[in-house]
Amino acid sequence: MRRTAAVLAGCALVWAAALTGTAAARAPAPLSADHRPAELRSSFGSGDFGRWTVDRFGLPAYRYEIDEQRTPWARQPETGSTAAQHELGNDHVVADAWNHGYTELWSQDRLAQWANRYEPAGRHYAGGYGYLRVGRRVLSTLYLDRPRGSRPAREFGVGYYGRRLRAAGMDVREAVYAPFGDDPLLLHDVTIRNLSRSARRVSWFEYWDVNPFDQSHSFHRGLGQPRWSARTRTLSVAQTPDHGDTRPLSIFAAALRGPLGGHASSLAAFFGAGTRAAPAAVVADRLSAAAAPRVPSGSSGQTLFAFRAPLRLAPGQAVTLRYAYGITHPGRIAPLVRTYRRTRHPFAASEGAWAAWLPRADFGPRRRWVARELAWDAYLLRAASVYEEECGHHTITQGGYYQYSAGLNLGFRSWLHYMPPMTYADPSLAREILRYSLALQPAQAGPLPYFPYGIGPLCSDANLGTSGDLDVWLLMAAAQYGLGSRDTRFFDERLAFRDSAHRASLWQHVKLAYAHMESLRGPHGGYDVGSTGDWSDFSVSYLGMNESLLITAQLAYVYPQLAQLAELRGNPRFAGELRRRAAELRDVMRGNRTPGGWYARGYGAKGQIGHGLILGEPQPWAILAGVPTAAQAGTLVGAIRRFLTGVGAPAVVRGPSRIGSAMAPALADPDITEVGAKTAGPADSGGTFAGAAAYPGGVWYDINGWLTWALARLDGTVPHATAYAWSEYTRNTLAAHATAFPRHWGAIVSADDACNAFYSPHPASCGVGLFHDYEGQITEQPAWMVMGAINLA
């Protein structure tokens, strides 16, 4: 494992060098100075939907190769659909690129909304594709309408969705991408090549739908009448004020490069009596400039954006067209269009920026897939960034159905545990997340709720009950940023409170969070969990827990880290208080060591929880805090492997786990003596928690990220601890799930926050069952894949 440790250290290289200004001068030296490209070429972990490859930019990409309309396993049980999506994103917006061929753009600037929601019943097909008219033939580049006899190709890449279509002697290559940086738009490059031996006159019709949908309120947003700017070759339409949004954004599309032979904004005129595969305007080879009518709030409307590019191509000649589609304030549209019209090669520039930013690692030739996945997951982590105008900052979101189905930014703890990798990767974004979170703090420490559980539209509170652990994650993130960057001056910055114009230094905000945290102490040395719980939401309902020892274990680790930061800031008195409190909390955890050698989960009305079965949440933090002796750590690791990883377990529980360790033992395990106060469903159900002895069961990427970190800390203390850490790390990869369950899409290019455990009757399934229209694209797995590499290093 020495080689593994050494090359893991190298993965933080570029990120350590990213620290700037005074922070860089005082930061630890970079772990490596090797900037050579990483070798990422490996198809391991591809599953049965396509295969992993390396694209022309030297970055990982997934080629989606099956025909989802014919392949039996394309239909997934969690969604009941053959649809499969990939996340496109930059620091401002996110988009979903679907295997069917279209792309939906999401904005969280003001309301949580789609700009072009796919609703085929209303003839709204999202866009990001087009039509090539060759003679009298119409070729659609939407995969669902692909020409007969063609062999389309689809590629999910770092920040882009690539497609290729060959038909009628023509070759069409497309890339829809979110350009690296902070601009709220997508670009669409279309390269058309004449493969025939004679000159051809053809027309390209660029198609983007306009169907703004407020996801938080399940409401179609109203629209004004579209406007055309001949000077900038831009179509735009203003959204009407809805649900408190008094400064609504406008949606726009622009023809950036190539000839222009007409534009259209009327859905009725574009499709006419035609079909999705052959719109009437494309068949007629002309566009009507008649503007679409206004759209009242609550209606899906009749608006779209289309452009026609007439081309004459000599044999073998190729032409590249470029279009923009975005959502922003009206005054920003023309400058954005001007910028990207002047940029010669924005796609290559964007991919080059990603290549320079992504971490590079070498795990040896047989583990190139781990280096590939580390780069891929780092992309997914940053691509989940959004800007929220009313909050005034960027943050990284949880994504998936929590965001795109519920329309909420859930939640407070999530942003803060996505932040630590950014200390090394992009310190400015790390600071933004801390500002975003601290600005939600009230001026006076009071009872729960203190911080909001999450954020809704226009920076409103989303209080889904009250949780006792939110201060934990804020204190941990502050300590991680301060110690990782040595940027102690950042904490002198002054920031207003949520409920007051009064401004205080960030360090005062941090100290107030500490004071509030300590106001929640319980009678057994744990902490009040509020009405919802700690990290495991609904643990109050399912476990009957009212006092958390997970929080105790976490703070026993966090407080000494915060004490180091306090000393760096010249605050020895506060540092001493933090260390004394950490020692007290370690003693509390030692007093809650159970006969099985693990640590209890908490307390409820019926006494100690987790006495007769091991629950995964507190164990890693107890290790990280240095609670167990060497002998006790060995016993604890043995219990984790036996009950949660399934190594050496009775055959009835069907271990060991091929993916990550479970959160709770199997209900069928004969060696447990306690069952959770309320299980999440019968053992034969299809839910994530099926077959578990206690809530929440399942395999959670967060918990196993903590476990990987903790096992690595036992190197030299517990035999084989480093090997166990590496095993846990790699079993929580996308590739591990794809290898174990190759016909399950949900963890091929992205994952849900949890998957079923090895003892479940449906071990391939992922997700928590709250929503059924998304599978994957949740930020937990990439966050801990990246942070795991840093922690192992």
Side-chain angles (χ1 to χ4, degrees), residues 305-561:
F305 295 150
F307 303 99
R308 174 177 174 266
L311 302 169
R312 184 186 185 282
L313 298 174
Q317 183 183 3
V319 171
T320 296
L321 312 173
R322 181 170 298 122
Y323 302 90
Y325 181 78
I327 178 169
T328 189
H329 286 292
R332 285 203 65 197
I333 295 174
L336 278 171
V337 170
R338 183 166 56 249
T339 294
Y340 285 98
R341 179 165 290 128
R342 292 173 177 174
T343 304
R344 293 189 63 188
H345 303 291
F347 187 30
S350 181
E351 295 305 294
W354 277 115
W357 182 83
L358 293 173
R360 295 184 288 276
D362 174 17
F363 300 94
R366 292 193 300 171
R367 297 189 180 95
R368 287 174 179 167
W369 63 273
V370 186
R372 177 199 75 209
E373 183 152 335
L374 177 59
W376 182 259
D377 280 330
Y379 160 70
L380 292 179
L381 175 61
R382 184 164 182 174
S385 302
V386 297
Y387 178 69
E388 295 190 3
E389 188 176 279
E390 290 296 308
C391 286
H393 301 290
H394 296 78
T395 191
I396 296 177
T397 68
Q398 191 170 13
Y401 32 66
Y402 299 107
Q403 186 170 350
Y404 309 120
S405 297
L408 299 172
N409 189 355
L410 305 176
F412 189 91
R413 69 172 72 94
S414 297
W415 322 316
L416 291 162
H417 73 253
Y418 306 148
M419 189 223 79
M422 292 299 138
T423 295
Y424 308 95
D426 188 339
S428 63
L429 182 53
R431 291 190 292 271
E432 277 279 273
I433 296 170
L434 279 170
R435 293 184 188 104
Y436 179 94
S437 305
L438 282 166
L440 302 175
Q441 186 180 43
Q444 298 296 322
L448 297 172
Y450 180 58
F451 287 109
Y453 181 90
I455 288 296
L458 301 171
C459 206
S460 60
D461 289 357
N463 284 320
L464 306 181
T466 60
S467 299
D469 69 323
L470 303 187
D471 295 282
V472 173
W473 297 99
L474 177 60
L475 296 171
M476 187 181 304
Q480 291 244 351
Y481 176 77
L483 296 180
S485 69
R486 301 297 196 270
D487 180 13
T488 58
R489 292 183 185 177
F490 169 67
F491 295 94
D492 294 329
E493 185 178 306
R494 300 183 71 79
L495 189 71
F497 290 92
R498 180 70 157 169
D499 58 354
S500 169
H502 173 67
R503 302 174 79 85
S505 73
L506 296 181
W507 188 241
Q508 289 173 298
H509 279 268
V510 169
K511 294 180 76 171
L512 183 61
Y514 164 74
H516 181 257
M517 190 73 257
E518 287 306 303
S519 74
L520 303 179
R521 287 294 294 273
H524 302 93
Y527 289 79
D528 181 9
V529 295
S531 64
T532 304
D534 48 21
W535 185 89
S536 294
D537 291 320
F538 312 118
S539 50
V540 173
S541 301
Y542 283 108
L543 293 178
M545 186 174 70
N546 54 37
E547 186 177 351
S548 169
L549 290 173
L550 165 61
I551 297 176
T552 306
Q554 288 177 310
L555 292 175
Y557 168 76
V558 172
Y559 283 166
Q561 309 300 310

Side-chain angles (χ1 to χ4, degrees), residues 105-423:
L105 177 62
W106 174 271
S107 170
Q108 215 155 294
D109 280 42
R110 299 191 62 76
L111 301 186
Q113 69 161 98
W114 298 106
N116 57 331
R117 190 184 195 217
Y118 182 74
E119 289 183 322
R123 306 183 91 178
H124 290 288
Y125 306 120
Y129 64 92
Y131 303 87
L132 187 66
R133 190 179 186 277
V134 184
R136 295 184 177 181
R137 190 174 179 186
V138 173
L139 309 178
S140 170
T141 65
L142 183 72
Y143 183 82
L144 295 176
D145 297 329
R146 62 199 181 277
R148 183 174 298 177
S150 64
R151 299 176 61 186
R154 292 162 288 175
E155 185 170 270
F156 295 147
V158 171
Y160 72 89
Y161 180 22
R163 300 191 304 276
R164 183 177 184 180
L165 177 72
R166 283 190 175 188
M170 306 299 294
D171 179 87
V172 182
R173 299 192 184 200
E174 300 173 84
V176 177
Y177 54 104
F180 187 92
D182 194 34
D183 290 331
L185 81 171
L186 300 174
L187 299 179
H188 184 201
D189 287 8
V190 185
T191 299
I192 303 169
R193 183 180 297 276
N194 179 7
L195 300 178
S196 72
R197 297 181 179 179
S198 58
R200 307 288 290 273
R201 290 189 179 276
V202 300
S203 295
W204 170 259
F205 289 82
E206 175 77 3
Y207 164 70
W208 287 95
D209 188 54
V210 180
N211 187 28
F213 188 81
D214 174 355
Q215 194 67 42
S216 305
H217 302 97
S218 297
F219 190 81
H220 286 96
R221 300 203 63 177
L223 293 169
Q225 195 166 44
R227 295 182 177 182
W228 166 248
S229 170
R231 181 177 62 84
T232 62
R233 304 204 307 178
T234 301
L235 283 163
S236 64
V237 63
Q239 299 181 114
T240 57
D242 285 317
H243 292 104
D245 183 7
T246 59
R247 297 183 62 243
L249 307 178
S250 290
I251 301 169
F252 70 94
L256 300 178
R257 176 177 175 178
L260 184 64
H263 64 274
S265 65
S266 169
L267 181 153
F270 183 76
F271 286 106
T275 64
R276 182 183 65 190
V282 181
V283 172
D285 198 20
R286 63 177 179 272
L287 293 175
S288 167
R294 295 177 180 272
V295 180
S297 295
S299 173
S300 61
Q302 295 286 311
T303 308
L304 58 69
F305 295 150
F307 303 99
R308 174 177 174 266
L311 302 169
R312 184 186 185 282
L313 298 174
Q317 183 183 3
V319 171
T320 296
L321 312 173
R322 181 170 298 122
Y323 302 90
Y325 181 78
I327 178 169
T328 189
H329 286 292
R332 285 203 65 197
I333 295 174
L336 278 171
V337 170
R338 183 166 56 249
T339 294
Y340 285 98
R341 179 165 290 128
R342 292 173 177 174
T343 304
R344 293 189 63 188
H345 303 291
F347 187 30
S350 181
E351 295 305 294
W354 277 115
W357 182 83
L358 293 173
R360 295 184 288 276
D362 174 17
F363 300 94
R366 292 193 300 171
R367 297 189 180 95
R368 287 174 179 167
W369 63 273
V370 186
R372 177 199 75 209
E373 183 152 335
L374 177 59
W376 182 259
D377 280 330
Y379 160 70
L380 292 179
L381 175 61
R382 184 164 182 174
S385 302
V386 297
Y387 178 69
E388 295 190 3
E389 188 176 279
E390 290 296 308
C391 286
H393 301 290
H394 296 78
T395 191
I396 296 177
T397 68
Q398 191 170 13
Y401 32 66
Y402 299 107
Q403 186 170 350
Y404 309 120
S405 297
L408 299 172
N409 189 355
L410 305 176
F412 189 91
R413 69 172 72 94
S414 297
W415 322 316
L416 291 162
H417 73 253
Y418 306 148
M419 189 223 79
M422 292 299 138
T423 295

Side-chain angles (χ1 to χ4, degrees), residues 642-643 646-656 666 668-672 758-759:
R642 160 64 181 82
F643 289 103
V647 176
V652 67
V653 302
R654 300 190 293 276
D669 197 309
D671 294 331
I672 61 170
F758 56 90
Y759 46 69

Side-chain angles (χ1 to χ4, degrees), residues 52-67:
W52 285 104
T53 185
V54 174
D55 64 19
R56 62 189 175 96
F57 304 104
L59 298 176
Y62 189 82
R63 291 180 181 170
Y64 190 95
E65 294 176 337
I66 67 165
D67 178 358

